[in-house]
Amino acid sequence: MEFFRLFIKSVFVDNMIFAYFLGMCSYLAVSKNVKTAFGLGIAVTFMLVVTIPLNYMLNKYVLEPGALAWLGDSFKDVDMSFLALIMFIAVIASGTQLVEMAVEKFAPALYNSLGIFLPLIAVNCAILGGALFMQQRDFASCWTATVYGAGSGIRWLLAIVGLAAIREKIAYSNIPPALRGVGITFIITGLMGIAFMSFMGIKL
Amino acid sequence: MANLKKLIIEPLRKTNPVTVLVLGICSCLAVTAQLKPALVMGLSVTVVTALSNFIISLLRKGIPNRIRIIVQLVVVATLVILIDQFLKAFAYDVSKQLSVYVGLIITNCIIMGRLEAFALSHGPGESFLDGLGNGLGYSLILVIVAFFRELFGSGTLLGYQVIPQSFYEAGYQNNGLMILPPMALIVVGVIIWIQRTRNPEMQENNQN
């Protein structure tokens, strides 16, 4: 039940893309049609599910103050938390590389459809942001962190597919020339953000 | 000389990383509810962009092409950790306000974009200036957005009351909507609109 609550909460209530603006760059760049948007959304969700538990373990057993206690008494006071950023990004970058190779080997069809997006994910702030929020919120177990990762990914997926659908339709409307392209996309995203804020009052 | 000057001036206007190239949006929107964090963020990004451009440009002949992304990330992450520790030591409340966004400078696409597009093919001096220019271009948009959001959202600038008390007594109210995150997007959208109205050659012809 608790997992379900966290899941719903991370999908709808604290929306990563509209409240924290994570992963905005690829969100704006790759939302021209629904199909590619969906592909990128799946890739991001997948990477979040893989990297958040990994980073959780890393934080719990290596980086936190006192986390190295399992190595022996003399390591009890070691605080490595200042290394968190570089470790997280290393996990994410190498994780993307590994996933890319694995997908290429075992699921060539998926690889062809995701192709260019996979390497881009290493610098998608949604992934690093997910890891940093995970560290900040101090989840109780590895499973909670995984559920949080999955929820955040799905929410990102929903948001990008929604925007892509709107942008496909907007081709038929008459927008002022100076606002075409990027400008109108910003404004649509802002309006979508306001719409999503209606979930904020929900207490779960 | 004129060429070097162009490296700094152009990103402020014609090739602005935020409004024209649409890079580095995430942090740009999240830290702009007030002017002070926006200024600190702009400064940090400028420092990181300039220095990482400089370092990568020095190393560019020695980096194998296949692992360049990881090398770049390591350089950038090191610089960001320095900035993070520096802010924690000397500007603790701002660093609390910026929370995870300082860390997210690592994945700021402006930095990776400039490294890939400029530093790998130019000398250290030019790269440094290019990084500086792009960082300043980013800061400029950040400050403009934060200025309007703080002014209309809370009636203050840098924490000081700007809108006089008599306005409030006459029925003026702060626009709470400006504080909310989605308004940042709409303000940037309007900035792009104004910029492209003034420079018609930047307009896009396709409809979406």
Side-chain angles (χ1 to χ4, degrees):
Chain A
M1 197 56 217
E2 194 206 336
F3 286 155
F4 181 71
R5 204 160 58 205
L6 180 72
F7 183 72
I8 295 294
K9 203 169 161 216
S10 51
V11 174
F12 291 107
V13 184
D14 17 71
N15 201 304
M16 199 184 248
I17 198 152
F18 294 126
Y20 303 119
F21 306 109
L22 297 178
M24 211 53 171
C25 314
S26 38
Y27 178 78
L28 294 170
V30 197
S31 56
K32 283 212 169 116
N33 69 65
V34 175
K35 216 176 144 210
T36 44
F38 191 73
L40 184 68
I42 293 283
V44 167
T45 314
F46 187 68
M47 280 312 295
L48 273 169
V49 173
V50 174
T51 56
I52 288 218
L54 276 179
N55 280 330
Y56 181 84
M57 303 285 232
L58 195 67
N59 190 37
K60 195 90 181 162
Y61 295 110
V62 183
L63 296 171
E64 263 182 354
L68 283 173
W70 56 274
L71 271 181
D73 275 349
S74 50
F75 289 93
K76 246 181 198 155
D77 305 323
V78 182
D79 177 4
M80 306 256 276
S81 51
F82 67 94
L83 282 178
L85 285 175
I86 208 163
M87 293 305 273
F88 287 169
I89 199 74
V91 166
I92 292 165
S94 48
T96 348
Q97 204 87 63
L98 279 178
V99 167
E100 195 186 343
M101 287 194 267
V103 172
E104 191 179 7
K105 181 106 179 134
F106 298 113
L110 181 67
Y111 179 77
N112 285 335
S113 58
L114 290 181
I116 37 166
F117 301 127
L118 276 174
L120 275 182
I121 289 174
V123 286
N124 187 320
C125 21
I127 316 268
L128 183 62
L132 292 174
F133 276 117
M134 177 271 298
Q135 189 194 24
Q136 216 174 47
R137 284 183 201 183
D138 212 8
F139 287 118
S141 76
C142 192
W143 292 113
T144 354
T146 317
V147 170
Y148 174 74
S152 317
I154 289 174
R155 153 185 66 187
W156 203 87
L157 171 78
L158 281 180
I160 197 172
V161 171
L163 179 69
I166 296 178
R167 284 184 76 176
E168 274 187 5
K169 292 296 170 211
I170 242 175
Y172 303 112
S173 47
N174 191 12
I175 302 157
L179 206 52
R180 273 177 205 162
V182 192
I184 193 71
T185 315
F186 269 97
I187 292 176
I188 294 170
T189 316
L191 294 176
M192 280 175 81
I194 293 176
F196 262 78
M197 287 183 84
S198 56
F199 289 112
M200 267 189 175
I202 299 175
K203 281 260 181 303
L204 280 167
Chain B
M1 195 59 219
N3 196 16
L4 292 181
K5 207 170 140 198
K6 218 174 104 190
L7 283 175
I8 295 197
I9 302 296
E10 281 296 285
L12 292 177
R13 303 162 50 239
K14 290 279 165 64
T15 58
N16 190 292
V18 179
T19 60
V20 181
L21 306 175
V22 206
L23 294 175
I25 307 294
C26 331
S27 52
C28 171
L29 303 170
V31 300
T32 50
Q34 284 169 336
L35 202 49
K36 202 170 152 201
L39 278 172
V40 174
M41 186 73 182
L43 201 63
S44 320
V45 171
T46 311
V47 171
V48 175
T49 325
L51 288 181
S52 62
N53 248 5
F54 180 69
I55 294 173
I56 289 293
S57 172
L58 282 178
L59 295 175
R60 71 184 190 280
K61 302 229 168 71
I63 303 174
N65 199 30
R66 283 190 70 83
I67 59 158
R68 67 178 194 285
I69 302 265
I70 295 192
V71 175
Q72 288 164 2
L73 279 176
V74 169
V75 170
V76 176
T78 314
L79 288 167
V80 171
I81 289 177
L82 287 179
I83 298 265
D84 189 30
Q85 300 288 326
F86 183 83
L87 286 181
K88 273 188 187 143
F90 294 103
Y92 189 70
D93 14 319
V94 181
S95 119
K96 265 270 159 306
Q97 246 175 331
L98 290 173
S99 74
V100 300
Y101 295 102
V102 179
L104 289 176
I105 298 178
I106 298 178
T107 52
N108 193 318
C109 353
I110 294 178
I111 298 175
M112 292 301 280
R114 287 334 286 174
L115 292 178
E116 284 281 301
F118 200 91
L120 284 177
S121 53
H122 291 79
E126 283 171 273
S127 301
F128 182 79
L129 290 179
D130 178 76
L132 200 63
N134 277 285
L136 289 176
Y138 170 85
S139 313
L140 180 72
I141 301 296
L142 220 63
V143 168
I144 296 176
V145 176
F147 176 82
F148 285 109
R149 284 183 73 193
E150 192 176 353
L151 183 62
F152 293 115
S154 26
T156 56
L157 281 179
L158 287 169
Y160 298 105
Q161 193 73 30
V162 171
I163 294 179
Q165 197 58 37
S166 53
F167 273 45
Y168 290 102
E169 280 154 18
Y172 175 84
Q173 281 197 336
N174 286 327
N175 185 351
L177 194 61
M178 293 301 274
I179 300 282
L180 298 178
M183 277 316 285
L185 283 161
I186 295 181
V187 174
V188 177
V190 172
I191 293 177
I192 294 177
W193 190 2
I194 294 169
Q195 194 187 22
R196 294 199 176 171
T197 313
R198 291 178 57 197
N199 306 295
E201 74 276 6
M202 275 186 215
Q203 289 169 10
E204 292 169 51
N205 288 319
N206 59 336
Q207 285 281 323
N208 60 347

